[in-house]
Amino acid sequence: MILVGLTGGIGSGKSTVSSLLAARGAEIIDADDITREVQQPGSAVVEAIAERFGDSVIDAERGLIRAKLADVVFADPAALRDLNAIVHPVVGAEIDRRVTMLAATDKVVVLDIPLLTENPRRGLQAKIVVDVPLEVQVERLVRYRGFTVDDARARIARQASREDRLKNADYVIDNSGSVEDLARQILGLWEWMRSLPQLPSDFRLARPA
């Protein structure tokens, strides 16, 4: 197995890069997808969130009302820490389980983690960053996701800075250009990843630092 991390700020097009790598044959472990899976209605994670934040963030089917929960935690750093303490260990355990299942294969495994800079994971062979200028992020969030300019800037500001993401990057994808340019970069990235050494079959991913 070859194991790398993929990250990028909101609006960077990280999901597009992840999809293109999957089309090349990469095995994608998507932290956002896992988060949604462990937050299914009635799950232990949702019930723990309800116990901490109250039933106002839960609907009649015991599912999360994500917008209400976001309103609570993004305005309150202590509440956000409490939410992360509920969700992150469960997501991390599932990531570890999936990595362990693939350890004895020859797959290129990509951990797609939006907050990899904020929450580093030891044991990755490389950190890949999808990078775009701030104004491109804002424009995409407004055009494609219905954000206001102020909301877009606020969401971006809550994540690691562009400079911090790039600081320890092993490979950078510039996704501010054309689709054709991105495709060329993906080809180069894929060849580079395939050149990394295989990890031992008994490899286990270390817990976050």
Side-chain angles (χ1 to χ4, degrees):
M1 175 182 67
I2 294 167
L3 182 66
V4 302
L6 174 68
T7 195
I10 185 172
S12 66
K14 177 182 61 61
S15 295
T16 300
V17 170
S18 183
S19 296
L20 291 170
L21 290 173
R24 289 264 169 194
E27 190 77 29
I28 308 297
I29 299 177
D30 189 314
D32 280 349
D33 285 348
I34 293 173
T35 300
R36 285 188 285 271
E37 290 175 16
V38 304
Q39 292 178 346
Q40 291 295 312
S43 67
V45 168
V46 169
E47 293 305 321
I49 290 171
E51 182 176 350
R52 166 60 181 85
F53 296 100
D55 281 345
S56 64
V57 300
I58 305 296
D59 64 24
E61 285 72 41
R62 305 304 292 173
L64 279 182
I65 306 174
R66 298 180 190 278
K68 285 189 177 181
L69 181 61
D71 287 343
V72 172
V73 301
F74 286 128
D76 183 342
L80 181 58
R81 285 194 296 272
D82 288 347
L83 176 63
N84 289 341
I86 294 168
V87 176
H88 284 183
V90 182
V91 173
E94 178 60 16
I95 289 173
D96 293 348
R97 186 187 72 81
R98 296 186 188 191
V99 169
T100 299
M101 287 179 62
L102 292 163
T105 73
D106 63 355
K107 292 273 192 178
V108 175
V109 179
V110 178
L111 298 191
D112 183 336
I113 303 179
L115 302 182
L116 183 60
T117 299
E118 296 88 332
N119 301 287
R121 300 205 53 113
R122 299 189 303 274
L124 299 176
Q125 291 170 270
K127 173 187 172 185
I128 301 157
V129 173
V130 183
D131 180 56
V132 295
L134 172 62
E135 292 308 316
V136 173
Q137 286 181 270
V138 173
E139 191 271 338
R140 287 178 178 172
L141 291 175
V142 171
R143 176 180 294 186
Y144 299 115
R145 296 177 59 174
F147 283 62
T148 66
V149 170
D150 287 345
D151 286 343
R153 292 187 182 280
R155 285 290 296 273
I156 293 166
R158 292 188 192 111
Q159 296 186 335
S161 69
R162 184 184 183 192
E163 292 73 22
D164 284 344
R165 271 194 302 274
L166 292 171
K167 190 180 301 180
N168 297 312
D170 298 292
Y171 202 106
V172 178
I173 294 290
D174 177 2
N175 195 23
S176 60
S178 66
V179 173
E180 293 76 17
D181 182 51
L182 178 60
R184 284 191 294 272
Q185 292 183 74
I186 293 297
L187 176 59
L189 171 60
W190 180 248
E191 292 175 347
W192 179 79
M193 288 193 298
R194 292 293 296 171
S195 74
L196 295 172
Q198 291 277 336
L199 290 168
S201 60
D202 60 352
F203 173 83
R204 296 295 180 269
L205 184 63
R207 288 290 183 177

